[in-house]
Amino acid sequence: MVKIIAATQNSIEKAADILRNGGIVAMPTETVYGLAGNALDDAAVEKIFLAKGRPNFNPLISHFAKLSDIEQHANIDERVKLLAMKFWPGPLTMILPRKKNSTISNRVTAGLDTIAVRIPAHKTARDLIAAAGIPLAAPSANPSGKLSPTSAMHVAQTLGSKIDMILAGGSSEVGLESTIIDLSTDKAIILRHGAIMQQDLEECLNQSVGFSSESSDIKSPGQLLKHYAPSKPIRLNAIDIKSGEALLAFGSIKFMADENGVHAKGLSEDLFRNLSENADLHEAASNLFQMLHDLDKSNASQIAVMNIPDRGLGLAINDRLKRATN
Ligand code: TXA
Ligand code: MG
């Protein structure tokens, strides 16, 4: 299994070398860990698809160091500049019209005439992109359809034998994938909820921003698939604990017990996690994938998840949870 290597100037240089030579490297970002490869190189991109078992039609996000590096690949309008100024570097991905002469591999954009771009905030990701000197295509570093990784260990456990290097940079602070906004047409539309919320985007653009639910639109191909799924079934909005279940709590567990009246406090450690005792949605988001990974390893037959309010960051959390259930 490939070794996890702490991000230092040396190891980042080494990772940059691997990337320039067509290899694939897992890198930390503030959202989740990404599996990076040279976005200009068909063969490197192919390796990413193979390692993840990702269907070919599902395009990847290209990661850049600065806005001026994006200009040669995508059309940048005023909206893009406003959003970039406010939210980049950070957890926002923009879908933009792809320029005809862009040298980004067609495998990255899956033959579409749009391109997904992001400037991440995590220092290691930024240093790596700068050191490599090329745009990096990077989906989340998990096998297709499975839980996203928020630590180097998650990556090692699932993709460890298939990639060239894992750069470690702590656990991902945000813990959920970037918000995706489609700016390829006049009407701005959110394709995936994340830490940058509809209201933030509307305030910045000074216009309304829509949301396209996965069933009504096929603009974000990845959004159609079963996603973010642990191997155990998930039961949402649990108000009690069924026999054999592990519990993923949110907020107070005062009223949570199983049918025998055994209180949630009595669950063994491996069967219980609380996303946030104080019902803080940011804390819950950053814990979500780690705790699902943990409970997935237990001997429970199913994971019961308490209700999480459908507002603010709760929208993004519930989106991931719903996708994990079907
Ligand atoms: O936070 C993130 O976005 C992480 C980190 C590593 O940057 N990356 C990530 O990538 O979540 P991935 O591949 O797991 O999700 C990218 C999503 C997919 O649902 C894909 O279908 C969509 O972006 N996408 C990519 N290019 C697109 C395009 N041109 N049009 C519409 N959707 C696109
Ligand atoms: Mg993903």
Side-chain angles (χ1 to χ4, degrees), residues 43-61:
V45 175
E46 185 60 37
K47 285 184 194 166
I48 297 176
F49 277 91
L50 271 178
K52 280 183 63 84
R54 182 171 175 121
N56 287 340
F57 61 79
N58 192 4
L60 309 179
I61 300 171

Side-chain angles (χ1 to χ4, degrees), residues 32 52 54 58 139-142 145-146 148 177 192 227-228:
V32 298
K52 280 183 63 84
R54 182 171 175 121
N58 192 4
S140 49
N142 53 286
K146 299 290 186 204
S148 292
E177 300 82 352
R192 180 171 74 185
H227 238 90
Y228 316 110

Side-chain angles (χ1 to χ4, degrees), residues 46-122:
E46 185 60 37
K47 285 184 194 166
I48 297 176
F49 277 91
L50 271 178
K52 280 183 63 84
R54 182 171 175 121
N56 287 340
F57 61 79
N58 192 4
L60 309 179
I61 300 171
S62 296
H63 297 69
F64 294 84
K66 47 188 196 302
L67 187 58
S68 55
D69 292 341
I70 299 177
E71 265 162 17
Q72 51 187 303
H73 302 290
N75 294 339
I76 311 274
D77 64 18
E78 280 312 308
R79 299 173 301 174
V80 179
K81 286 183 192 155
L82 281 172
L83 292 172
M85 207 139 50
K86 174 109 201 218
F87 300 113
W88 275 352
L92 180 69
T93 294
M94 303 193 216
I95 309 290
L96 306 178
R98 181 190 159 121
K99 281 194 174 156
K100 288 232 155 51
N101 56 356
S102 162
T103 48
I104 296 280
S105 160
N106 276 316
R107 303 279 291 107
V108 171
T109 48
L112 299 172
D113 53 9
T114 54
I115 176 170
V117 294
R118 177 161 108 83
I119 299 180
H122 195 292

Side-chain angles (χ1 to χ4, degrees), residues 135-283:
L136 297 182
S140 49
N142 53 286
S144 189
K146 299 290 186 204
L147 284 174
S148 292
T150 52
S151 75
M153 192 54 89
H154 296 161
V155 183
Q157 283 163 356
T158 53
L159 295 180
S161 58
K162 299 181 172 159
I163 62 186
D164 297 309
M165 184 172 172
I166 300 175
L167 266 185
S171 52
S172 298
E173 211 181 304
V174 176
L176 294 177
E177 300 82 352
S178 59
T179 303
I180 301 182
I181 184 169
D182 182 3
L183 297 165
S184 65
T185 61
D186 287 343
K187 171 85 183 133
I189 296 172
I190 294 173
L191 300 182
R192 180 171 74 185
H193 287 302
I196 312 271
M197 286 170 255
Q198 187 166 8
Q199 198 186 338
D200 308 324
L201 297 163
E202 288 180 338
E203 271 169 24
C204 178
L205 292 174
N206 200 20
Q207 59 173 245
S208 73
V209 172
F211 173 70
S212 151
S213 85
E214 79 264 43
S215 51
S216 65
D217 200 292
I218 48 163
K219 275 237 143 170
S220 203
Q223 296 296 78
L224 294 173
L225 309 172
K226 176 165 177 169
H227 238 90
Y228 316 110
S231 46
K232 295 188 198 304
I234 290 210
R235 184 169 68 87
L236 297 180
N237 300 319
I239 50 167
D240 58 6
I241 310 159
K242 309 253 180 267
S243 119
E245 280 185 338
L247 178 66
L248 184 59
F250 177 76
S252 167
I253 53 161
K254 214 160 138 192
F255 301 109
M256 291 302 279
D258 70 14
E259 50 231 357
N260 303 317
V262 175
H263 194 269
K265 274 192 209 136
L267 284 173
S268 66
E269 215 241 281
D270 56 319
L271 295 178
F272 176 74
R273 292 288 182 279
N274 196 334
L275 289 167
S276 168
E277 283 177 28
N278 302 321
D280 176 306
L281 289 167
H282 286 269
E283 183 181 21

